[in-house]
Amino acid sequence: MKIAVIGTGYVGLVTGVALSEIGHTVICIDVDPEKVEKLSQGIPTIYEPGLKELIQKNINNGRLFFTSEHRRGLEGADVVYIAVGTPQRRDGSANLSYVEQAAVDIAANITRNVIVVIKSTVPVGTNFHIKELINRNTVNGVHVRIASNPEFLREGSAVHDTFHGDRIVIGTEDGETADILAEINKPFDMPILKTDISSAEMIKYSSNAFLATKISFINEIANLCESLGANVEEVAKGMGFDHRIGPDFLKAGIGYGGSCFPKDTNALVQLAGNADHEFNLLKSVIEVNNNQQLLLIDKILSRFGSVRGKRAAVLGLAFKPNTDDLRESPALVMIPKLVKLGADVIAYDPIAVSNAKKQFSVEIEYTEDLNEALQDADFAVIITDWADVKNIDLSAFAAAMRTPVVFDGRNCYSLDRVRKSEVEYYSIGRPSHTPELTK
Ligand code: UDX
Ligand code: UDX
């Protein structure tokens, strides 16, 4: 099968590379010629474990190509995937202008009937709108069929998730299109759900909204645990044994970030509103998350009173480990707040520093060296549970910092470990630890 993929962001690139790995000939199209140039040379434009090897292998196999020219990319394609971004507008709704642009590009350049597959997360109804937009603008009497095939990739494990996901969802208007897509996806060897287009679009939003709900729920429980003297990790463990609940996505912390949960929950609230449905549950999920992202500020202020002139080591900038992505990261709200309160911030991240520099307008220091970040700090704030932060010898805090006070937004350390250290420790939903008091 000859496949074209429009958009080489996280989703498009991983999808295109994976489709080439399972034997299809894939040409990835992106409007950004610099990205295309790098990718053509086998250099990944995003950090994703395992991706570089697969890109290089499939370029060498002659199955994977990159171009910035739609005419060239779409020539001879049987199936065209749309995987451009759908960022949120200021009102929370999804911005479909990139998807619409991709549709216009498809219409202008295809020379035969193709199946268009929408991978991007789009509001219910968008697939039909895009099909009509393309079919209205095609030349030579060609037309397209449309399919919704949402992605369920987690950044940082996108390659793994593509090959070992839980399901593939295919929404179409007819059985033949569904069969063709099922055949394309067969080598992934995963359960395939064939359904109608609107349900497929809704499955994506509902899945992300439910996972976000799980996280906000456990974060609320965590906050309650602190007031009642319970330990949220024990609570989550006990809940997770119940297979109806499951142990995943019950990790309390400083809230969810990333390119999907914040955007998709807002979009679903908006979508519900358009249908005259007040999605109060989801509105609360979002509110809990917004509060959670700033929770550590309250803890820092109640410990120090004021942070003016204090040196703050912020550990982690990415919204989660194994990615250099800062989209909706709690770091984006925490750091400006600390700076506004007068703290002198040094931010550590092993791979997200260069992306961070483009995002922050506030003056802070950056480092890729964890120990340098801790040097002479008055307190440390853990934003991302990077492996090196989790595995640090806790004595390093006392050795390097002026005062080893740690605010851990990711519950990186067991309380047993902390109790054996000299660290003054505040985490989420667990008892705090003050060495002087326990000695
Ligand atoms: C994806 C999905 O598409 C989005 O719907 C999902 O909810 C989250 O993840 P992502 O892959 O992260 O988005 O998007 P992004 O990193 O913004 O990349 C989009 C790419 O498409 C960029 O490389 C951009 O240059 C390219 N693009 C954009 C085109 O090739 N054509 C366009 O018309 C617009
Ligand atoms: C998510 C979905 O998991 C994926 O299926 C979808 O297609 C895209 O959105 P992603 O945003 O890459 O993937 O990361 P994910 O691992 O789901 O984490 C999202 C956020 O939730 C992160 O900020 C993470 O730290 C947070 N999280 C996750 C928690 O706070 N607690 C948890 O238990 C799990």
Side-chain angles (χ1 to χ4, degrees), residues 6-12 29-32 35 70 82-86 97-99 101-102 105 119-122 151 155 204 259-260 263-264 325 327:
I6 302 183
T8 58
Y10 271 94
V11 174
I29 308 166
D30 201 292
V31 288
D32 183 343
K35 273 192 189 178
H70 288 88
I82 297 181
V84 294
T86 49
S97 59
Y98 302 117
V99 178
Q101 182 57 50
D105 291 332
K119 265 275 166 206
S120 306
T121 304
V122 291
E151 51 83 18
E155 286 181 24
K204 172 64 198 243
S259 65
C260 287
K263 161 174 86 65
D264 294 347
D325 195 342
R327 284 182 279 187

Side-chain angles (χ1 to χ4, degrees), residues 282-296:
L282 201 52
K283 283 183 179 171
S284 300
V285 166
I286 295 166
E287 195 190 330
V288 168
N289 196 60
N290 291 340
N291 294 338
Q292 199 72 14
Q293 289 204 334
L294 281 169
L295 195 74
L296 289 181

Side-chain angles (χ1 to χ4, degrees), residues 151-155 249 251 256-257 260 319-320 410:
E151 51 83 18
F152 301 101
L153 313 176
R154 285 167 302 174
E155 286 181 24
F249 279 70
K251 185 143 178 41
Y256 57 77
C260 287
F319 79 94
K320 65 174 201 176
R410 298 293 182 183

